[in-house]
């Protein structure tokens, strides 16, 4: 019936697996849960995660070498035995105890190929040095269902999505995307180009892991490097993201080097804001554009 696949890296995934296991058992369905650690350092999390193997139909495996975000997911898909696949990030957790039931109900329509349940963040503010991730998530990822339905491709994430295995086999994640960033957008754009409809339902999972703002900012550097790669290789079109639209407007006016120069001047002040207890998403967007211009002016 369903293969629940969870890519992991140095994270205690046992609580998530236990919750999904108990929900799947209560639904009396055929299922498996596979957690694949992408060669993270062996530590306490590794020891805890091995307990996953004690649960029936569940297993924890480790890659001998780091495959990267795209290939790790592809490896998980190759291990799956069932026709439906639920992809979840290791740092998510179902909002409700009918999470699996809701997804099973959504598969009864034979025309359904993909279903996205949504992502939530807790309302309680985190520590001051974790605010950027929380503010970004609350604004850009926690999207109510009515809004998601109006633009389903734009508001889909791969951190909580049910999808037919045949779709994932025909549309694997890009191996070019090794580190954090844009793997979900590239994958969703691939489905859109093939007119594969993504249904949206109210079946959210909480995003739990709020890394420090400095780490999150560094991860976005990586994501923009990925964006440059997929743009240079014509994997996506300049019109596919708001950032690349603006960038190409700047490029047409031969202002990329100038924008990179200005960014170099203001980068410190922008960084101070983004690492503060009141980060501005407007500044974050301008920062990302400036950094992208800097990447392309080298």
């Amino acid at each position: 019936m369903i293969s629940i696949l969870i890519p992991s890296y140095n994270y205690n995934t046992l609580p998530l697996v236990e919750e999904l296991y108990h929900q799947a058992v209560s639904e009396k369905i055929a299922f498996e849960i596979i957690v694949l650690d992408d060669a993270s350092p062996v530590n306490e999390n590794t020891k805890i995660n091995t307990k996953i193997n004690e649960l029936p139909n569940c297993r924890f495996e480790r890659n001998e070498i780091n495959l990267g975000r795209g290939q790790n997911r592809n490896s998980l898909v190759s291990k799956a035995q069932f026709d439906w696949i639920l992809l979840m990030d290791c740092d998510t957790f179902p909002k409700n105890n009918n999470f699996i039931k809701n997804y099973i109900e959504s598969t009864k329509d034979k025309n359904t190929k993909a279903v996205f349940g949504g992502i939530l963040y807790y309302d309680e503010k985190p520590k001051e040095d974790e605010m950027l991730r929380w503010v970004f998530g609350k604004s850009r990822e926690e999207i109510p269902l009515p809004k998601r339905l109006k633009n389903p491709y734009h508001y889909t994430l791969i951190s909580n999505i049910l999808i037919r295995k045949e779709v994932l086999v025909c549309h694997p994640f890009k191996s070019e995307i090794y580190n954090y960033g844009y793997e979900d957008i590239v994958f969703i754009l691939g489905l859109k180009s093939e007119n594969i409809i993504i249904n949206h339902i109210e079946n959210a999972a909480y995003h739990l892991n709020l890394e420090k703002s400095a780490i999150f900012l560094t991860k976005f550097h990586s994501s923009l490097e990925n964006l440059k790669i997929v743009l240079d290789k014509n994997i996506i079109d300049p019109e596919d993201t708001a950032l690349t639209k603006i960038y190409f407007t700047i490029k047409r006016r031969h202002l990329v080097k100038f924008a990179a120069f200005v960014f170099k001047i203001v980068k410190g002040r922008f960084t101070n804001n983004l690492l503060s207890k009141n980060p501005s998403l407007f500044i974050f967007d301008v920062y990302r554009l400036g950094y992208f211009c800097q990447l392309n002016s080298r």
Side-chain angles (χ1 to χ4, degrees):
M1 175 63 192
I2 185 172
S3 296
I4 303 172
L5 308 181
I6 307 171
S8 180
Y9 187 89
N10 192 22
Y11 196 84
N12 177 7
T13 317
L14 181 61
L16 171 61
V17 172
E18 288 178 330
E19 175 65 22
L20 296 172
Y21 168 79
H22 290 302
Q23 288 198 26
V25 168
S26 68
E27 293 303 310
K28 299 179 180 179
I29 57 171
F31 73 95
E32 65 179 347
I33 302 175
I34 310 173
V35 178
L36 183 57
D37 181 282
D38 199 15
S40 68
V42 176
N43 54 25
E44 186 63 23
N45 284 331
T46 314
K47 181 179 179 181
I48 294 171
N49 286 334
T50 57
K51 295 180 181 179
I52 292 170
N53 296 315
E54 299 173 8
L55 296 171
N57 306 321
C58 301
R59 66 184 192 265
F60 171 73
E61 299 181 4
R62 283 176 48 83
N63 295 327
E64 293 185 3
I65 60 172
N66 186 271
L67 299 180
R69 296 172 70 87
Q71 285 295 81
N72 195 38
R73 286 188 172 90
N74 291 338
S75 179
L76 274 165
V77 171
S78 70
K79 297 173 184 291
Q81 63 174 305
F82 295 114
D83 293 335
W84 281 101
I85 287 175
L86 174 58
L87 282 174
M88 295 194 70
D89 281 358
C90 61
D91 57 356
T92 58
F93 200 86
K95 177 186 177 184
N96 299 312
N97 58 13
N98 58 353
F99 180 78
I100 294 297
K101 180 179 180 179
N102 290 340
Y103 271 136
I104 298 303
E105 288 292 322
S106 72
T107 65
K108 291 182 178 179
D109 184 343
K110 293 182 179 180
N111 294 320
T112 298
K113 292 187 176 182
V115 186
F116 177 60
I119 290 292
L120 293 175
Y121 286 74
Y122 288 112
D123 291 330
E124 182 181 355
K125 290 185 177 181
K127 300 174 184 176
E128 289 186 5
D129 62 356
E130 297 175 344
M131 284 297 295
L132 181 59
R133 183 69 183 93
W134 182 78
V135 169
F136 179 85
K138 291 289 283 186
S139 176
R140 304 289 172 81
E141 297 178 346
E142 184 181 296
I143 308 299
L145 181 60
K147 187 174 181 179
R148 287 193 275 127
L149 290 172
K150 292 178 181 178
N151 198 345
Y153 294 106
H154 182 71
Y155 293 121
T156 296
L157 299 171
I158 59 173
S159 48
N160 174 26
I161 188 170
L162 181 72
I163 191 164
R164 287 188 182 273
K165 182 179 179 180
E166 62 189 36
V167 173
L168 287 165
V169 171
C170 294
H171 301 275
F173 292 95
K174 296 295 184 182
S175 59
E176 293 90 342
I177 301 180
Y178 184 84
N179 295 315
Y180 173 89
Y182 285 92
E183 68 271 18
D184 51 352
I185 293 176
V186 171
F187 176 73
I188 298 305
L189 287 172
L191 301 189
K192 183 179 180 181
S193 68
E194 297 291 331
N195 295 313
I196 295 173
I197 295 173
I198 302 175
N199 297 334
H200 282 244
I201 62 174
E202 199 72 78
N203 200 34
Y206 281 107
H207 178 98
L208 302 180
N209 186 31
L210 294 177
E211 61 261 277
K212 294 185 183 299
S213 299
I215 295 175
F216 184 60
L217 192 59
T218 300
K219 288 173 70 174
F220 255 97
H221 291 171
S222 170
S223 76
L224 293 171
E225 291 162 9
N226 284 344
L227 180 60
K228 185 178 187 308
I229 291 171
V230 297
L231 199 61
D232 290 346
K233 293 187 176 183
N234 298 313
I235 294 173
I236 68 169
D237 188 90
E239 295 295 311
D240 285 333
T241 75
L243 189 151
T244 50
K245 281 183 185 179
I246 299 173
Y247 166 74
F248 269 83
T249 299
I250 294 172
K251 185 177 181 180
R252 283 193 295 268
R253 296 176 181 176
H254 307 287
L255 293 173
V256 173
K257 288 188 176 181
F258 176 74
F261 174 75
V262 172
F263 173 69
K264 184 177 180 180
I265 295 173
V266 301
K267 182 180 179 181
R269 280 178 287 174
F270 280 6
T271 301
N272 288 338
N273 171 270
L274 297 175
L275 301 186
S276 73
K277 63 180 180 180
N278 293 305
S280 163
L281 286 185
F282 173 75
I283 290 177
F284 187 47
D285 290 339
V286 177
Y287 181 101
R288 290 190 297 152
L289 178 61
Y291 187 85
F292 194 65
C293 288
Q294 188 177 76
L295 282 176
N296 286 278
S297 65
R298 294 172 180 172

